[in-house]
Amino acid sequence: MIWIFLTCAAVIAGIITLICTGHINETPVFLPFDYFSEHKILMVYVIAINAFAFTIYGVDKLQSIKGRQRVRETILFILALFGGGAGAWCAMYVFRHKTRKSYFVSGIPFMTGMNIFLLFYIINFKW
């Protein structure tokens, strides 16, 4: 699991470096509503991946309760890594799932932060 944390840290560091070197607009956009109205595919992706991550965490909790085969923890982390951090974070506390594992309690918020940094960068990048 350490490779996921290192990947997130590298992405955040890279984005901060690019932001500091002037690869964003002169006035950064913090509210992405105007951007999403022009780029609907990205909006649909962000909503879909978060809903999917939320659902998979719920399925894993249900499988846990019933004693059936579970979703691998790597899959749960990968969903959060590829944009589903907010959905995974919400699902952890809605379903009370994986809240005793320290690497989930610290890793999922870290990945959510990485997702927010990445989204901020995508919105403000000079294309």
Side-chain angles (χ1 to χ4, degrees):
M1 294 300 162
I2 191 72
W3 64 272
I4 294 176
F5 294 116
L6 294 175
T7 303
C8 290
V11 168
I12 290 173
I15 290 171
I16 290 173
T17 301
L18 290 171
I19 288 171
C20 291
T21 58
H23 285 87
I24 62 169
N25 299 329
E26 288 74 25
T27 55
V29 177
F30 293 101
L31 296 174
F33 303 118
D34 293 334
Y35 181 83
F36 281 145
S37 67
E38 297 173 11
H39 299 86
K40 290 183 171 75
I41 293 174
L42 182 61
M43 179 182 70
V44 168
Y45 174 76
V46 169
I47 291 170
I49 192 70
N50 280 291
F52 186 65
F54 187 87
T55 304
I56 293 299
Y57 270 72
V59 166
D60 189 45
K61 177 64 176 188
L62 185 64
Q63 299 290 54
S64 169
I65 292 170
K66 292 185 176 184
R68 295 184 182 162
Q69 185 174 359
R70 310 269 307 274
V71 178
R72 292 183 181 189
E73 289 181 347
T74 306
I75 300 297
L76 298 175
F77 269 115
I78 287 173
L79 284 172
L81 182 67
F82 286 118
W89 199 2
C90 290
M92 279 177 55
Y93 292 100
V94 167
F95 300 121
R96 296 181 185 177
H97 189 51
K98 301 290 185 187
T99 55
R100 293 185 183 178
K101 302 214 178 216
S102 62
Y103 50 90
F104 272 91
V105 172
S106 61
I108 298 300
F110 187 69
M111 286 185 227
T112 303
M114 185 210 58
N115 292 335
I116 291 169
F117 270 112
L118 188 61
L119 190 60
F120 175 78
Y121 181 73
I122 289 170
I123 290 171
N124 290 292
F125 185 75
K126 293 179 184 174
W127 292 98

